[in-house]
Amino acid sequence: MAELHDLSALEQAEGIRSGELSPVELTEHYLARIDRLDDTLGAFITRTPEIARKQAAEAESEAAAARREGRELPPLHGVPVPMKDLHQVAGVRCTMGSRALAEHVPEVDHHVAGKLRAAGTILLGKTNTPEFGLPCYTENGFAPPARTPWDLARSAGGSSGGAAAAVAGGLAPLAHGSDGGGSIRIPASACGLYGIKPSRGRISGGPLMHDITGLATSGPLARTVADAATLLDVMAGAMPGDPYAAPSLPPGETFASYALRDPGRLRIAWLTGAPIPGVEIHPDCRTAADDTAALLTGLGHEVEQLSLPSDDSIREAFTRVWSVMAANQPVPPEGEELLMPLTRYLRERGGQVSGTDFARSMYAFRMLAQSLADGLMPPGTGYDVILSPTLATPPVAVGELRNDADPQAEFTALGSFTPFTALCNATGQPAVNVPLHWNAEGLPIGVMLAGRYGDEATLIALSAQLEQARPWAARKPALW
C-alpha cells in the first residue's frame, strides 16, 4: 500500500484540494520521517516543526474554505517545500553553511521565501549546504554531511546537497535549491532527481545579497518533471530592484503546462568531450550520454555529435569571479578563523583580483553567451538543445573531494568533477539534470540538457517526453 511520501507533489496537492488529504497529516508524516532519517542523510541544518505545524493548520483551514466557496488554490497549496540554507527566511536561523554564521537569524525574507509562503507551501526547515555554497559537495564542519540515499557512503553533491538528499530520501516531496556553478544539477545527478537551473533572471535573487554576476539562481529539485515545473512556476517572476529579468511566458501559459506537451522534432547537439583540458569522462557517464542520444534519436529528434574546443579560459574567468563572490560573503571579523580552508583560500584569492580582471572575466562570460546564441543556437537554424553528461564521474565518497591541506588542489579537482555545469551559469542559459540512468552499482548517473536563454519550456517538454519513454520516479533507494 502506498505511503504519503510515495505520492508526487502534484498528487498530494490534488488530495488536499479535494479534501482526501490533510496538510496537517502530510506535514506530520514528513516531520516523522525527518526525525527518523535525517541524522543519516544530513538533509537539514535547521528543522522548523513549529512553523510547519502552524502553516499546515492554516493551509488546512484555507483548503476547506476554498472547497466551500468554490475557489481555486495555488497549485502546491499545503505541500511541504524546504528551503536551502543559503537563503533567508525571516525569523529562522540562516547559517549559509558556515560556523561563522551559526546563530544568524535574518529579519527579512528572501523573495523566494515570500513566494513559497504566499503559495501556501509548508516550511519543514532549511536544507544543508556547504559553506556559502562554494564547493560541489555538502560538508561544512557543523552539520552531518549530506549523503545520497542510493549509497550512504557517497556524497549527495552540492551545493544543494541537503535539498537533494531530502527529496531523494522521501523527507520532502520537492525542494528549493540554488545553482551558481551546477549546484542544483550536481546533487540531482548524484541523487537520481530532476533539477532545473532556470535562465538568468527567471527567479528573483533579492532583496539581500543580489548576485550581480548573474551566475546564481534559485530553482527546483523534484522526483518528476511536472512537480519541478510547477515549483518553478511558484518561484518565477522578477521583483523590483532585480538586475536581470528573463523573458516571460506568453500570457496564460505556465511551465507546468509544457510538461504535458510534445516538444516537436528538435535539433540536439551531443557533446562528446569535456570543454576543459585534461578532464577524462568516466565510462558510466559516457554511457549515460550515449544511451540518451540513442533514446532521443529513437523519439524522432535530430542528434549530432559535437566537440567544443578544449579551452581553459572560461574556467579561469569563472575562478576569478567565484573568488570575488567568496570574498564578498558577509563574514563578521570574529568569524574569519572559523572558516573552512577552501573558503579562506577563495576569499584571499578574490581579494587579489583587480577590478579590471573582474570586468574582463565578466566580459568573457558575455562573449561566450553571445557566441552560443549567434553561432551554435540561433533560433530556427541552430541547435535547440545541448546534451552532455552532468558530471565527469559517478557520485563520489563523502570526503573524497575535500582537501583541507591543499585547497587550491581541491578547487581544481572540483572543476574536473563538474566540467560541464558551470558553462550555463556563465551564459545564463537554462539547464536540467535528467535522471535516466543507474550504473551497475545502482548509482544514479544524470545527463544534462541545456537550452536557449529564456527557453525552459522546451527543456521541460523534452524532459517530460524522456520521462514518459523511460520513467524513473518509481525507482527508489532502499531506505525509502
Side-chain angles (χ1 to χ4, degrees):
M1 185 173 180
E3 295 194 63
L4 291 180
H5 61 279
D6 290 320
L7 301 174
S8 71
L10 288 177
E11 289 171 337
Q12 293 173 0
E14 177 56 33
I16 289 167
R17 282 193 295 274
S18 69
E20 295 176 4
L21 179 59
S22 156
V24 171
E25 177 189 12
L26 184 64
T27 297
E28 292 295 344
H29 178 83
Y30 280 113
L31 290 175
R33 284 186 65 81
I34 291 168
D35 284 344
R36 187 166 74 252
L37 296 172
D38 187 42
D39 288 344
T40 298
L41 285 173
F44 288 86
I45 286 180
T46 300
R47 306 176 194 177
T48 56
E50 296 85 2
I51 292 173
R53 290 185 172 111
K54 180 176 184 293
Q55 290 179 339
E58 292 171 349
E60 187 157 318
S61 296
E62 177 64 13
R67 286 193 296 274
R68 287 194 305 270
E69 299 163 13
R71 288 189 285 110
E72 287 293 321
L73 288 168
L76 292 175
H77 181 87
V79 176
V81 181
M83 191 157 178
K84 185 176 175 179
D85 202 34
L86 290 184
H87 303 270
Q88 305 87 4
V89 176
V92 177
R93 184 176 70 150
C94 181
T95 71
M96 303 183 79
S98 176
R99 290 187 299 158
L101 298 177
E103 303 305 323
H104 172 236
V105 179
E107 298 178 356
V108 178
D109 273 340
H110 192 283
H111 283 151
V112 168
K115 290 188 176 188
L116 289 172
R117 187 182 298 112
T121 67
I122 311 302
L123 181 70
L124 297 172
K126 304 292 293 299
T127 55
N128 203 355
T129 182
E131 193 163 63
F132 302 116
L134 294 172
C136 55
Y137 54 77
T138 302
E139 302 163 36
N140 54 34
F142 75 100
R147 303 172 184 271
T148 175
W150 296 95
D151 180 347
L152 294 173
R154 296 180 187 259
S155 172
S159 63
S160 304
V167 177
L171 308 190
L174 70 181
H176 161 269
S178 61
D179 191 316
S183 292
I184 287 172
R185 293 156 289 157
I186 295 163
S189 180
C191 293
L193 300 175
Y194 184 71
I196 304 174
K197 184 208 87 71
S199 297
R200 178 177 294 143
R202 177 67 65 201
I203 298 174
S204 176
L208 303 175
M209 295 297 291
H210 280 285
D211 175 17
I212 59 170
T213 69
L215 290 179
T217 177
S218 291
L221 285 145
R223 287 165 46 219
T224 73
V225 175
D227 281 0
T230 304
L231 183 53
L232 178 58
D233 282 322
V234 168
M235 296 191 292
M239 298 289 285
D242 285 354
Y244 308 100
S248 299
L249 288 173
E253 295 281 13
T254 65
F255 289 112
S257 70
Y258 284 91
L260 304 173
R261 299 187 190 183
D262 189 316
R265 189 171 190 266
L266 302 175
R267 189 169 179 230
I268 299 172
W270 168 23
L271 296 188
T272 56
I276 296 177
V279 173
E280 291 295 323
I281 307 301
H282 190 280
D284 290 347
C285 300
R286 287 190 180 278
T287 296
D290 293 351
D291 287 352
T292 303
L295 178 58
L296 288 165
T297 300
L299 291 169
H301 301 290
E302 180 184 354
V303 181
E304 299 177 6
Q305 291 191 24
L306 179 71
S307 295
L308 292 179
S310 187
D311 181 2
D312 221 22
S313 61
I314 291 298
R315 179 163 66 170
E316 292 168 357
F318 185 90
T319 299
R320 286 191 289 269
V321 173
W322 203 247
S323 299
V324 171
M325 291 171 68
N328 279 285
Q329 294 298 330
V331 179
E334 66 275 13
E336 290 285 346
E337 64 182 19
L338 299 175
L339 299 178
M340 298 182 71
L342 177 66
T343 304
R344 291 200 299 269
Y345 162 74
L346 289 172
R347 285 170 67 82
E348 180 180 355
R349 182 166 182 168
Q352 297 169 356
V353 176
S354 70
T356 302
D357 284 342
F358 180 78
R360 285 173 177 159
S361 298
M362 294 299 298
Y363 278 123
F365 293 168
R366 302 299 176 260
M367 290 173 63
L368 175 63
Q370 197 68 56
S371 66
L372 284 172
D374 293 343
L376 194 63
M377 305 185 78
T381 59
Y383 294 107
D384 301 296
V385 172
I386 299 174
L387 162 70
S388 72
T390 301
L391 299 174
T393 74
V396 298
V398 170
E400 183 175 332
L401 291 172
R402 184 172 166 181
N403 186 349
D404 289 351
D406 191 346
Q408 182 175 356
E410 175 182 324
F411 195 69
T412 300
L414 297 179
S416 297
F417 178 56
T418 61
F420 297 100
T421 56
L423 286 175
C424 291
N425 299 89
T427 64
Q429 294 170 254
V432 300
N433 177 77
V434 188
L436 288 171
H437 303 270
W438 274 255
N439 68 6
E441 297 176 80
L443 297 172
I445 308 292
V447 294
M448 189 172 77
L449 303 174
R452 294 188 182 94
Y453 176 70
D455 191 17
E456 290 92 330
T458 293
L459 294 181
I460 289 167
L462 179 59
S463 300
Q465 185 184 52
L466 290 169
E467 182 181 32
Q468 184 176 18
R470 192 180 292 173
W472 60 73
R475 189 164 187 163
K476 310 246 180 28
L479 60 65
W480 187 268

